[in-house]
């Protein structure tokens, strides 16, 4: 974490995205392909691939991947991140945590990690999004929007997504949400 926090840019720069991965399931090649595809679609007027490559590089410089191995790493890291992002308060940041709290075994540790995450959330201009296979009662009061995926058909990859009461159909594959 200390190496990661020291590499965050100085205040008044671009927004940062912090990806916390508890199960080592994150795919950097997939992220690069996804960013490149999105930029190609958005920048249809740009024919020079070097320009798109620079944009991809700029995006990747602002995305930070951190593997959360245990409660000590999580608590110390969230505190260090809170202090660093406090100096960048004018810039909105995004923290994504997949498999939130799944690798932290005991309740007391989960409460401490949630407390640190809440301090980060309220102490900085950071949007926090967590994904967990289970409901987390300690975060319930902080939830502003919940996304729930329910299988439409157990033999396909088609799901009904419910986002803040709105339902729509999505297809989920190994690359994530496809449609």
């Amino acid at each position: 974490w200390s190496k990661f926090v020291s590499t965050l840019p100085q205040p008044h720069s671009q927004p940062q995205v912090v990806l916390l991965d508890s199960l080592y399931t994150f795919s950097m090649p997939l992220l690069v392909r996804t960013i490149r595809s999105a930029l190609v679609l958005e920048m249809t007027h740009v024919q020079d691939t070097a320009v798109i490559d620079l944009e991809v590089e700029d995006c990747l410089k602002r995305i930070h991947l951190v593997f959360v191995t245990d409660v000590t790493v999580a608590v110390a890291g969230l505190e260090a991140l809170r202090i660093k992002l406090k100096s960048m308060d004018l810039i909105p940041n995004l923290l994504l945590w997949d498999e939130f709290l799944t690798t932290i075994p005991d309740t007391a540790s989960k409460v401490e990690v949630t407390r640190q995450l809440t301090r980060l959330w309220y102490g900085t201009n950071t949007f926090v999004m967590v994904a967990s296979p289970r409901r987390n009662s300690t975060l319930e009061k902080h939830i502003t929007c919940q996304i729930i995926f329910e299988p439409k058909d157990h033999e396909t990859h088609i799901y009904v997504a419910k986002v803040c009461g709105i339902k729509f159909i999505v297809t989920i594959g190994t690359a994530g949400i496809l449609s």
Side-chain angles (χ1 to χ4, degrees):
W1 275 94
S2 61
K3 182 179 177 185
F4 156 71
V5 170
S6 66
T7 62
L8 281 175
Q10 294 305 312
H12 311 298
S13 63
Q14 295 286 330
Q16 303 298 301
V17 176
V18 181
L19 301 169
L20 302 176
D21 187 358
S22 299
L23 300 177
Y24 296 92
T25 56
F26 188 79
S27 167
M28 191 56 79
L30 178 60
L31 175 67
V32 173
R33 282 193 309 271
T34 303
I35 289 173
R36 177 174 291 291
S37 297
L39 286 172
V40 166
L41 288 173
E42 187 176 307
M43 301 172 69
T44 55
H45 62 283
V46 177
Q47 300 300 319
D48 188 359
T49 58
V51 172
I52 293 174
D53 289 343
L54 287 173
E55 289 295 322
V56 170
E57 184 179 332
D58 180 58
C59 288
L60 291 173
K61 285 180 181 176
R62 295 184 287 117
I63 298 172
H64 310 279
L65 176 61
V66 180
F67 293 106
V68 180
T69 53
D70 60 31
V71 68
T72 305
V73 170
V75 170
L78 289 170
E79 179 63 14
L81 187 60
R82 183 184 66 81
I83 291 167
K84 180 66 177 188
L85 291 178
K86 215 173 193 182
S87 67
M88 301 170 68
D89 203 37
L90 297 176
I91 302 165
N93 298 289
L94 174 63
L95 183 135
L96 303 167
W97 193 339
D98 192 18
E99 297 294 331
F100 179 63
L101 297 179
T102 55
T103 59
I104 299 173
D106 62 280
T107 303
S109 296
K110 288 179 182 186
V111 169
E112 181 56 23
V113 169
T114 302
R115 187 181 74 80
Q116 287 295 337
L117 186 62
T118 303
R119 289 182 70 204
L120 171 76
W121 189 3
Y122 284 117
T124 65
N125 191 8
T126 303
F127 177 79
V128 176
M129 184 173 176
V130 298
S132 176
R134 292 173 221 82
R135 291 185 75 127
N136 183 319
S137 60
T138 56
L139 282 180
E140 290 292 321
K141 64 183 176 187
H142 304 292
I143 292 174
T144 56
C145 187
Q146 193 172 33
I147 302 171
I148 300 170
F149 293 100
E150 296 175 350
K152 182 175 181 187
D153 179 357
H154 291 284
E155 298 189 15
T156 65
H157 297 286
I158 299 173
Y159 290 79
V160 175
K162 295 181 201 171
V163 181
C164 300
I166 300 169
K167 293 181 182 182
F168 54 94
I169 304 294
V170 295
T171 303
I172 301 177
T174 57
I177 298 175
L178 304 175
S179 63

